[in-house]
Amino acid sequence: MGAGHAHTLHHAGDSVVHRLPAHVKIVAAFVMVVAVVATPREAFWVFGAHLLLLGAIWVTARLPVAAIAARSLIEAPFVVLAVLLPFFATGPRTEFLGLSLSVDGLLAGWNILVKGTLGVLISVTLGMTTPVRDLLAGLSRLRVPGMITTIATLMVRYLEVIADEARRMRLARVARGHDPRFLWQIGPTIRGIGTLFLRSYERGERVHLAMLARGYTGSMPLLGEAATGRRTWTVALVPAAAAVVLATAGYA
């Protein structure tokens, strides 16, 4: 994936977090997510400590909080679910501001909200400090099946290409006087989607044939692979180990 296809999630930087190998950061992020999920929902202070731990990583990586918040909006549908649970769940109820809320629903909603938010923040932090091509290479080094990483690599590479083609097709329709504003005018748009699918399918076949002609054997080559020392693993796993300790403390 060339420089012209940089992913918008990544935030360029030269911090110690940015310089860590991708596969090491993937393992650390996975351990942190597992620690968050394993934390008891009643251990409120532990979740605050998890957030402080993430904040320390953001400061070290010099990541802007506004950019992190903007990239975390993907969680919005889960927030809606968490907010609705106290109103519709069964079990003992309590009164708050004149509203009758389920105690079990409050705890379940809190559990979804806090763990989902922290999980998204961990993933966003990983994405902002690691280019997508490095993440895919890191998954390969962690022995993720080659077919999965190949599909993900091609998807990331050609997603922008297909989106650009869709924009050009829409521009062409508008230039010819088609600017649908009502449901019954959507026919040409639907036909355009079908055309885009066929073009993408044909492009995929051509790309696959070109890869085979260049010696493709089922997995992408790893460029610039270097041995990862014990010190690198130690530095990367310090936050993960701290998260595990916090999750364990929640059961005390």
Side-chain angles (χ1 to χ4, degrees):
M1 187 169 59
H5 296 273
H7 201 274
T8 54
L9 179 61
H10 180 243
H11 182 82
D14 191 37
S15 68
V16 62
V17 181
H18 285 82
R19 292 194 299 269
L20 285 171
H23 61 289
V24 176
K25 285 188 281 189
I26 291 171
V27 172
F30 176 77
V31 173
M32 290 182 71
V33 168
V34 171
V36 167
V37 172
T39 302
R41 64 185 184 181
E42 297 84 2
F44 303 110
W45 71 270
V46 176
F47 294 111
H50 281 310
L51 184 59
L52 288 176
L53 182 61
L54 268 176
I57 296 174
W58 298 338
V59 171
T60 304
R62 296 187 289 276
L63 298 178
V65 176
I68 296 171
R71 289 162 169 81
S72 301
L73 291 178
I74 191 174
E75 189 200 6
F78 299 98
V79 173
V80 174
L81 173 63
V83 171
L84 291 177
L85 270 176
F87 295 96
F88 296 103
T90 57
R93 306 190 75 82
T94 185
E95 295 288 330
F96 180 74
L97 297 178
L99 298 173
S100 176
L101 304 175
S102 166
V103 175
D104 292 337
L106 284 170
L107 286 174
W110 159 256
N111 192 50
I112 293 173
L113 181 62
V114 70
K115 293 182 179 180
T117 300
L118 288 171
V120 168
L121 290 174
I122 292 169
S123 301
V124 167
T125 303
L126 175 63
M128 290 183 69
T129 56
T130 316
V132 174
R133 63 178 181 274
D134 292 349
L135 283 174
L136 295 171
L139 290 173
S140 295
R141 293 188 177 103
L142 292 172
R143 301 295 185 265
V144 172
M147 184 59 67
I148 294 177
T149 56
T150 299
I151 291 173
T153 301
L154 294 175
M155 181 187 71
V156 170
R157 170 63 181 84
Y158 285 98
L159 194 60
E160 294 179 14
V161 176
I162 295 172
D164 286 340
E165 186 162 350
R167 282 191 289 268
R168 289 195 300 270
M169 291 173 65
R170 181 187 177 279
L171 214 62
R173 289 197 305 271
V174 172
R176 290 167 174 80
H178 175 71
D179 189 13
R181 299 178 185 275
F182 303 100
L183 186 61
W184 57 83
Q185 296 176 313
I186 204 171
T189 301
I190 293 176
R191 288 192 290 272
I193 293 173
T195 302
L196 180 63
F197 172 78
L198 291 175
R199 289 183 180 178
S200 303
Y201 186 82
E202 291 171 352
R203 177 182 284 111
E205 287 188 326
R206 293 196 300 270
V207 169
H208 184 247
L209 289 173
M211 291 167 63
L212 292 176
R214 289 164 174 79
Y216 175 69
T217 58
S219 60
M220 293 293 189
L222 291 177
L223 302 178
E225 184 174 6
T228 304
R230 182 178 299 177
R231 183 177 181 277
T232 301
W233 279 103
T234 302
V235 170
L237 291 179
V238 165
V244 171
V245 171
L246 287 171
T248 304
Y251 290 92

